[in-house]
Amino acid sequence: MQLIESRENTAVAAFRILNVVLGSGERLPCLVESATWVPTRVATRWAVRYRRYRVQSSTLANNLRVVARVYRWARESAGYDLDSRLTEGESLRNREIESLVSTLRTTADGRAFDTGGFDQHLAVIEDFLKWSLDSENRGGRGALSLEQLTAERSRLEQLFQSLRVGARPSARIEPLEDSEIQTIRSAIGPKCDSGGRLSFPEIFSSHARLRNWLMFEFALELGIRRGELLKLRLDSLPRAADDGIRILRRPDDPHDSRAREPAVKTAERVIPASRELLRAVQLYITSPPPLGRVFGKSPYLFVTRSGSPVSLDTADDIISAIGRASGVMPLSWHRLRHTWAERMAELFTDQPNGMDRLVYLGGWTSPLSARRYIQRSIAKQAKEALRQYHRKIYGEASIEEHRS
């Protein structure tokens, strides 16, 4: 078992997150006392026995950071130990929860919370408190009857529902225009000299030029998320006549040496890749360093100069650097996915099973996630049809006026 201290633990001074790497490779975040490293009892049970089976490791860590604020509020504002209070069978009363929620309207560093983040925090706390009502879950005394348990859960549901503010619709992420894609490719893409030799602009270090350009092309062509991009392994690539890139869920992979393991949060699928992309992958795999990939140290496709898999933070640095170098900003891996999704939606809108195709290729588990892209495509077509109608009627009116 290995302990890895999260670098984001300064948010809540009295408590911090430790990432425990089990022998199986699973990364299990734990909420501990900063001074003693003693795990919090109820939160640890919630994480180990319940929450870890429902969310990814990174999401669980974020959830525990929210729960840490409940522990801190109980100690500093309410004047009691939350673990003792809960294991004695005493739940938080309405006024206490209202007091707690008032402290959540700002982030740990004093910035105002957006409404979506605030409501998400309330959802995590509600889940934690409802789960801890059952003594078989949390341990301790004070077992409730089934009727009492149902009534208490209903009370918490109604209270938290009244405290939510309702998230405003998130701002639409604008897809990249063709001209912006060309600008990025001109800034970071390969060029052939008169002798047929391949060269890259000197924006990145020599070992990163081909890799970073290839990561951009993968994200743009396949529409995969950042975590999916970083979880691609050599055995994800097509073999023989196959042209499909396999997007597979590999949680807690013992071969993944990253402290924060990227997650494949979407459904598994196989996405066809173009010949151009596959040729670029072959170049990356077969070329010797520094142009090509360091061989033999990791099964993951995209690696660093040392041969370790590219981390989440490094991936974010790469896409930010691409944006600065090309002048196309803001630029993110998520914006590349939006660009892919909107273009696929335009392609599939008129097809009878277009929604199903988009859902599969995008890896969504619910059609609702893909429907917004189809709806935007339909709206775009409707607007263009209306413009043609306007041109037609006013064009005909102009002809009639000219005749008269």
Side-chain angles (χ1 to χ4, degrees):
M1 183 176 70
Q2 181 183 4
L3 294 178
I4 302 175
E5 185 177 358
S6 171
R7 70 177 189 173
E8 300 174 284
N9 291 331
T10 57
V12 181
F15 301 91
R16 65 180 61 210
I17 306 298
L18 288 183
N19 288 308
V20 180
V21 182
L22 305 180
S24 63
E26 179 183 359
R27 288 157 174 79
L28 180 62
C30 292
L31 180 63
V32 302
E33 295 263 6
S34 296
T36 64
W37 282 27
V38 173
T40 53
R41 285 176 289 164
V42 179
T44 299
R45 281 175 173 258
W46 177 70
V48 172
R49 301 177 61 179
Y50 170 75
R51 196 66 175 171
R52 68 191 278 208
Y53 300 113
R54 288 160 174 80
V55 296
Q56 297 285 343
S57 175
S58 58
T59 303
L60 177 57
N62 289 331
N63 290 171
L64 287 173
R65 290 185 181 92
V66 176
V67 173
R69 299 191 69 175
V70 183
Y71 275 83
R72 188 176 70 170
W73 167 85
R75 176 176 297 178
E76 298 177 0
S77 299
Y80 57 73
D81 178 75
L82 184 63
D83 279 335
S84 298
R85 175 73 175 265
L86 295 177
T87 54
E88 288 171 2
E90 297 183 37
S91 59
L92 272 66
R93 308 318 305 164
N94 290 8
R95 289 295 178 87
E96 291 179 312
I97 293 176
E98 291 170 356
S99 171
L100 164 64
V101 168
S102 68
T103 69
L104 300 176
R105 298 188 184 278
T106 58
T107 61
D109 56 4
R111 292 180 289 108
F113 241 134
D114 66 88
T115 54
F118 177 76
D119 283 356
Q120 288 174 1
H121 278 41
L122 292 190
V124 171
I125 295 171
E126 178 186 350
D127 184 86
F128 171 70
L129 293 178
K130 286 167 62 177
W131 178 89
S132 65
L133 289 171
D134 191 339
S135 60
E136 293 188 5
N137 290 336
R138 66 163 193 272
R141 298 174 295 175
L144 299 176
S145 67
L146 181 59
E147 292 77 11
Q148 291 173 321
L149 189 59
T150 301
E152 278 295 292
R153 285 176 174 167
S154 177
R155 176 183 70 85
L156 290 177
E157 287 176 3
Q158 294 176 14
L159 176 59
F160 276 96
Q161 182 60 39
S162 69
L163 294 172
R164 290 188 174 90
V165 295
R168 295 186 297 270
S170 57
R172 177 174 181 253
I173 298 177
E174 292 296 330
L176 293 173
E177 301 290 343
D178 289 339
S179 59
E180 292 177 313
I181 294 173
Q182 185 57 45
T183 298
I184 293 173
R185 285 173 169 164
S186 298
I188 67 170
K191 297 174 177 60
C192 285
D193 60 20
S194 57
R197 291 185 296 271
L198 204 63
S199 64
F200 286 83
E202 298 182 0
I203 296 171
F204 300 106
S205 301
S206 57
H207 74 279
R209 293 167 190 167
L210 173 56
R211 181 200 68 192
N212 294 354
W213 167 72
L214 190 57
M215 289 175 67
F216 169 80
E217 293 293 345
F218 255 84
L220 181 64
E221 179 175 319
L222 305 182
I224 56 180
R225 295 177 180 270
R226 178 190 61 170
E228 295 170 334
L229 180 69
L230 298 181
K231 290 295 275 187
L232 289 176
R233 303 197 328 182
L234 295 176
D235 54 9
S236 303
L237 301 176
R239 301 173 183 176
D242 185 17
D243 65 351
I245 303 292
R246 286 177 284 278
I247 309 299
L248 302 176
R249 298 175 67 90
R250 291 188 175 98
D252 310 318
D253 184 357
H255 298 291
D256 195 333
S257 59
R258 289 167 284 208
R260 293 173 57 213
E261 183 183 15
V264 176
K265 298 183 179 181
T266 48
E268 294 187 346
R269 59 204 186 277
V270 179
I271 309 177
S274 67
R275 292 182 179 180
E276 291 76 12
L277 186 63
L278 295 179
R279 281 197 292 265
V281 173
Q282 191 67 20
L283 177 67
Y284 175 59
I285 292 174
T286 58
S287 297
L291 179 65
R293 176 184 179 275
V294 175
F295 182 75
K297 295 188 177 181
S298 172
Y300 286 94
L301 177 60
F302 297 113
V303 297
T304 63
R305 189 203 310 256
S306 65
S308 302
V310 171
S311 68
L312 290 164
D313 291 331
T314 299
D316 289 341
D317 291 342
I318 289 170
I319 198 65
S320 296
I322 292 174
R324 290 192 301 270
S326 62
V328 177
M329 300 176 69
L331 187 63
S332 64
W333 299 112
H334 203 51
R335 190 178 181 190
L336 298 184
R337 179 169 169 83
H338 271 264
T339 301
W340 173 88
E342 298 228 350
R343 294 188 175 207
M344 289 298 101
E346 292 179 7
L347 181 65
F348 292 140
T349 297
D350 296 329
Q351 299 183 12
N353 61 342
M355 174 71 79
D356 295 333
R357 295 185 183 188
L358 182 59
V359 168
Y360 171 76
L361 291 174
W364 291 292
T365 55
S366 169
L368 294 176
S369 300
R371 184 173 298 168
R372 56 179 173 173
Y373 297 108
I374 294 289
Q375 290 174 336
R376 287 172 186 165
S377 178
I378 293 174
K380 185 177 179 180
Q381 292 181 357
K383 291 176 183 176
E384 181 57 32
L386 186 60
R387 292 190 188 100
Q388 292 179 4
Y389 171 72
H390 291 163
R391 287 193 291 268
K392 181 179 179 180
I393 60 173
Y394 289 115
E396 291 176 351
S398 298
I399 292 173
E400 292 296 326
E401 291 176 0
H402 179 72
R403 288 176 178 174
S404 60

